Amino acid sequence: MFMHSVAGQPRAIPDWFTAWLRLGITTAKGSLESAQQQTVVAVSVTTRLQSAAAIALGYVCQRYTQRNRKPLAADWSISLSDVTPGTRIWVRIPKRVVVGDYLTGLPDRLYLNTPKTGAFQTRLVKEVRTPPPGVLTVGATTYSDTETTFVKSLLPSADPEEFLSSWDWGLLLVGSPERIYGDLAEQISTPNSLRFGPMSSIVRPIELTAPVGWRSSVMSSRVETPAWEAFPTSPHLVILDGAYATSRWLPECPAPVVIAILERTEPGVDAAVAALMQERAYATPVRDHELSWNAPAGCEVLAFRRAL
């Protein structure tokens, strides 16, 4: 399915990575979801290296290709004719998105209060949205040919600009942001194209100060207020990367599916296991054959369903 770069040379993705990808794909298909219940899948591993990133990659690729699962932010789109002066809007034109306060618009020209080019031909406007409060600031982002080509190579059915600009609150990764972003920096490709790029270009964590699209969010396990409180809908999948993220946030996660990844030798693993066992004591066990997923060799899996 994918290749990765080792010392600048393309190599096949290891089997353990492929297994995590499949877990993300299975989750995006809805195979783990249950009506009125939350499915928790906890996996014990020798190392968490790139586990959460691989799940996220499989989830995002599969979720995007399932056309019946629209991005959760689709309702933010509006008609240009409904915009009034002073409204902050997000505008998509070829190869670029721009955010600014709407000043005025003539039949053939749209004016925003952006720092540089604030005038746009209305015939080039592909979409207009009202940004979520506090998420986007005034500015512009241009998509490079390298980035759009990389997206097209990994997702042949995708419209690269639509993929790069659409918003989706479906996935939340919780843990150490430094570690998560480091794992997402891994260079990948496909055997057919060998155009390498970082996993982050596909998983696309939200950038609060940039007028771009996103397909996931990264939350530090040490924050006081959970990220889902700022979004209009709950995430579909929460990945708890590590023992502290698990013991701290497992009881509160609102998603239909929660995946916890525990490294056997990391500090705090005993507390995380205790939190899992406490939740499992009042839940319904999920057998291995019900998961539609085989864990990588050497992993231990604990799965159960609890009331949402």
Side-chain angles (χ1 to χ4, degrees):
M1 184 183 296
F2 293 114
M3 307 289 285
H4 69 147
S5 179
V6 178
Q9 298 299 315
R11 296 287 186 270
I13 290 288
D15 290 342
W16 60 264
F17 190 97
T18 303
W20 293 120
L21 278 171
R22 290 186 180 127
L23 179 56
I25 292 170
T26 295
T27 306
K29 287 180 176 179
S31 303
L32 300 181
E33 295 181 19
S34 177
Q36 305 303 315
Q37 288 187 307
Q38 179 185 75
T39 303
V40 177
V41 180
V43 189
S44 169
V45 297
T46 54
T47 175
R48 303 196 324 271
L49 179 66
Q50 294 175 358
S51 302
I55 296 170
L57 178 64
Y59 178 86
V60 168
C61 288
Q62 181 63 33
R63 182 172 168 81
Y64 179 77
T65 56
Q66 290 179 208
R67 295 300 179 179
N68 62 322
R69 293 200 166 200
K70 300 287 186 182
L72 298 180
D75 290 341
W76 294 90
S77 294
I78 60 173
S79 170
L80 185 58
S81 61
D82 293 333
V83 178
T84 57
T87 303
R88 179 154 298 182
I89 58 175
W90 179 104
V91 179
R92 178 160 70 96
I93 57 178
K95 293 190 175 183
R96 188 158 48 142
V97 294
V98 184
V99 173
D101 295 335
Y102 173 70
L103 298 178
T104 184
L106 300 176
D108 61 345
R109 189 75 59 171
L110 172 69
Y111 294 93
L112 301 178
N113 69 331
T114 52
K116 295 183 179 179
T117 305
F120 309 96
Q121 296 182 46
T122 53
R123 65 180 180 83
L124 298 179
V125 175
K126 294 186 174 183
E127 186 181 6
V128 179
R129 303 178 197 161
T130 54
V135 173
L136 301 176
T137 57
V138 171
T141 293
T142 300
Y143 298 123
S144 67
D145 291 337
T146 300
E147 192 172 25
T148 55
T149 301
F150 174 64
V151 169
K152 192 68 176 177
S153 69
L154 262 69
L155 294 168
S157 64
D159 173 347
E161 289 188 25
E162 192 278 337
F163 178 86
L164 293 169
S165 62
S166 61
W167 304 341
D168 194 338
W169 282 280
L171 171 62
L172 175 63
L173 297 98
V174 183
S176 163
E178 182 179 5
R179 179 187 180 111
I180 292 171
Y181 281 111
D183 286 352
L184 288 174
E186 173 77 8
Q187 298 282 311
I188 59 170
S189 183
T190 61
N192 294 331
S193 73
L194 293 183
R195 293 181 180 273
F196 283 94
M199 283 191 281
S200 58
S201 288
I202 302 298
V203 178
R204 302 194 68 75
I206 185 173
E207 296 181 45
L208 294 177
T209 59
V212 295
W214 64 81
R215 314 205 71 81
S216 66
S217 303
V218 174
M219 175 182 121
S220 170
S221 56
R222 299 186 180 276
V223 298
E224 294 298 325
T225 303
W228 52 77
E229 291 190 3
F231 296 153
T233 57
S234 297
H236 284 179
L237 168 64
V238 173
I239 301 175
L240 301 173
D241 186 29
Y244 185 78
T246 300
S247 58
R248 173 87 184 271
W249 293 109
L250 176 65
E252 299 184 36
C253 289
V257 180
V258 177
I259 298 174
I261 308 169
L262 304 179
E263 198 170 290
R264 295 189 182 101
T265 58
E266 66 175 310
V269 70
D270 291 340
V273 171
L276 284 162
M277 297 308 292
Q278 181 177 353
E279 294 293 332
R280 184 178 182 273
Y282 301 96
T284 304
V286 176
R287 310 302 177 189
D288 291 350
H289 69 275
E290 297 179 74
L291 289 178
S292 303
W293 175 69
N294 295 318
C299 293
E300 297 174 302
V301 180
L302 175 69
F304 54 87
R305 290 194 172 102
R306 62 182 184 178
L308 275 170

